[in-house]
C-alpha cells in the first residue's frame, strides 16, 4: 500500500479515499493516458478539441471478497498492473528532490535524507517479488524502514521555501547508496530462505531422475548435458535486487 500511495502522490494524483487495503485515486490526464489503456477515448477527445475526463480508480491490495465493480482493481506483486506501475515509475520518477515546507517562525533547518525503493525478486522454479523502502540520514547515518509512512503526511515541495535552509550532508549520496545496499543484504542474510532449500531439493530430484533416464536410454552426452543445464538453471535459487526509484529529501527534523 505504501508503494501505491507514494506512486500516485508523486504522479500528483489526488487520493480520494484510503483504508488499510484500498486506495481510491483521481488520475491526472497524463496518468490516465499512460495507464488506463483508453487510446480511442483520448483520440476522440483530441479530435474534437475537448477536455477529457480522467478516471478515478480504486486499487485493492487485498482481495475484497466480492466481485470488483467498474473502476476497481486488485493489485498484487507480480501482476501485470503492478509491473506497469513499476515501469511507469522508473520512466517518470526515477529520482526526486523534495523539501519539507513548514509553518514555523524563524529559520528552519532541513536535514538531508537519501531514500531508495529497492525491488527484490526471489527466483527459482517460481518467483516472488517485493518492494523494500529504505532511507538513510546523510548526517548521522541512521537508517529508517518507515520513511514513507513518516514522510507521507508532510508538506513537500520541489523548491526550498523562504526561511528554510539545508544542512550539507556528511555522507555523500553515492556512499549512502552503498550503505543502503549493504543494509539490505544484511537483512536478506537474516531472512529464512526455505523457498531456496525447497528449490534445491527439487533440483536434486530432477537431476537424479534425468540421470536414471539417460542411464536407461543411453542417449548421447550432448543431449544429457543440455537437459542438465536446463534443470540447474530452472531450479537454481537467486535473489535479484534493483533500484526502482529514490530521492533526496530535506526534512525539518529527524524522523
Amino acid at each position: 500500500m505504501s508503494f501505491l500511495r507514494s506512486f500516485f502522490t508523486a504522479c500528483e494524483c489526488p487520493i480520494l479515499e484510503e483504508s488499510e487495503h484500498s486506495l481510491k485515486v483521481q488520475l491526472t490526464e497524463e496518468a490516465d493516458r499512460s495507464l488506463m489503456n483508453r487510446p480511442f477515448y483520448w483520440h476522440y477527445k483530441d479530435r474534437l478539441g475537448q477536455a477529457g475526463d480522467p478516471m478515478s480508480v480504486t486499487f485493492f491490495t487485498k482481495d475484497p471478497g466480492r466481485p470488483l465493480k467498474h473502476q476497481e482493481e486488485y493489485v498484487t506483486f507480480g501482476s501485470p498492473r503492478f509491473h506497469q506501475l513499476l515501469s511507469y515509475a522508473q520512466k517518470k520518477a526515477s529520482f526526486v528532490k523534495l523539501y519539507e515546507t513548514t509553518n514555523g517562525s524563524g529559520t528552519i533547518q532541513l536535514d538531508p535524507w537519501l531514500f531508495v525503493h529497492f525491488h527484490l525478486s526471489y527466483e527459482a522454479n517460481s518467483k516472488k517479488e517485493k518492494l523494500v523502502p529504505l532511507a538513510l540520514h546523510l548526517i548521522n547515518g541512521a537508517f529508517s524502514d518507515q520513511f514513507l509512512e513518516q514522510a507521507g503526511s508532510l508538506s513537500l515541495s520541489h523548491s526550498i521555501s523562504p526561511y528554510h535552509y539545508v544542512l550539507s550532508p556528511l555522507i555523500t549520496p553515492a556512499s549512502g547508496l552503498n550503505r543502503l545496499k549493504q543494509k539490505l543484504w544484511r537483512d536478506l542474510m537474516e531472512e529464512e530462505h526455505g523457498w531456496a532449500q525447497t528449490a534445491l531439493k527439487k533440483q536434486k530430484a530432477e537431476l537424479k531422475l534425468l540421470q536414471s533416464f539417460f542411464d536407461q536410454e543411453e542417449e548421447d552426452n550432448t543431449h544429457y548435458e543440455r537437459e542438465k543445464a536446463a534443470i540447474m538453471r530452472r531450479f537454481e535459487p537467486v535473489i535479484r535486487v534493483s533500484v526502482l526509484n529514490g530521492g533526496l529529501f530535506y526534512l525539518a527534523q529527524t524522523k
Side-chain angles (χ1 to χ4, degrees):
M1 182 59 68
S2 62
F3 168 69
L4 291 177
R5 187 189 309 110
S6 62
F7 173 85
F8 286 110
T9 299
C11 293
E12 300 182 343
C13 298
I15 297 175
L16 304 179
E17 298 175 14
E18 182 176 2
S19 67
E20 184 179 0
H21 300 295
S22 68
L23 193 73
K24 183 176 182 179
V25 297
Q26 175 60 58
L27 299 179
T28 63
E29 180 177 328
E30 179 183 357
D32 190 302
R33 286 177 181 266
S34 300
L35 301 173
M36 300 313 297
N37 192 29
R38 299 200 294 166
F40 297 109
Y41 171 81
W42 288 108
H43 179 70
Y44 174 74
K45 288 296 184 179
D46 290 342
R47 287 288 300 273
L48 294 179
Q50 297 178 351
D53 184 19
M55 297 173 66
S56 62
V57 185
T58 300
F59 295 93
F60 293 92
T61 58
K62 183 178 180 181
D63 190 340
R66 58 169 175 77
L68 293 176
K69 301 176 182 178
H70 180 55
Q71 297 181 198
E72 290 185 342
E73 295 188 20
Y74 177 36
V75 180
T76 61
F77 284 111
S79 66
R81 174 65 80 189
F82 173 72
H83 281 285
Q84 183 192 33
L85 297 180
L86 287 183
S87 177
Y88 187 76
Q90 288 174 316
K91 181 176 68 174
K92 299 295 292 184
S94 59
F95 182 86
V96 296
K97 181 185 290 187
L98 295 172
Y99 303 85
E100 182 178 356
T101 299
T102 70
N103 296 320
S105 59
T107 56
I108 305 296
Q109 172 185 301
L110 301 179
D111 292 357
W113 284 85
L114 175 66
F115 170 76
V116 176
H117 234 146
F118 290 100
H119 178 218
L120 273 59
S121 181
Y122 300 75
E123 301 175 12
N125 57 313
S126 59
K127 185 176 181 180
K128 173 186 173 183
E129 297 175 297
K130 73 175 182 179
L131 296 178
V132 177
L134 276 179
L136 175 72
H137 193 287
L138 293 179
I139 293 178
N140 62 27
F143 292 101
S144 173
D145 58 4
Q146 301 296 319
F147 186 83
L148 279 182
E149 287 75 8
Q150 295 163 346
S153 60
L154 303 178
S155 176
L156 301 172
S157 172
H158 290 285
S159 59
I160 190 168
S161 299
Y163 307 109
H164 291 58
Y165 70 96
V166 301
L167 288 183
S168 297
L170 299 179
I171 304 169
T172 66
S175 177
L177 179 58
N178 286 332
R179 293 193 187 199
L180 289 173
K181 289 179 178 179
Q182 292 169 7
K183 164 84 164 104
L184 180 66
W185 282 113
R186 287 196 301 269
D187 292 346
L188 283 173
M189 292 301 101
E190 294 177 0
E191 287 184 0
E192 294 291 335
H193 295 290
W195 63 276
Q197 298 171 4
T198 300
L200 290 174
K201 289 180 180 178
K202 291 182 178 179
Q203 182 188 72
K204 184 177 180 180
E206 289 287 324
L207 289 173
K208 185 177 180 180
L209 181 62
L210 177 69
Q211 182 65 57
S212 65
F213 175 79
F214 275 90
D215 285 345
Q216 295 174 12
E217 297 294 325
E218 297 183 354
E219 294 284 347
D220 65 276
N221 190 58
T222 301
H223 189 192
Y224 169 78
E225 291 298 332
R226 185 167 59 248
E227 293 297 321
K228 178 181 177 181
I231 292 173
M232 294 291 291
R233 185 169 56 252
R234 185 165 69 252
F235 290 97
E236 192 70 19
V238 61
I239 301 176
R240 303 187 191 280
V241 178
S242 60
V243 173
L244 173 61
N245 55 20
L248 285 172
F249 289 75
Y250 296 91
L251 306 185
Q253 58 182 337
T254 302
K255 303 299 176 185

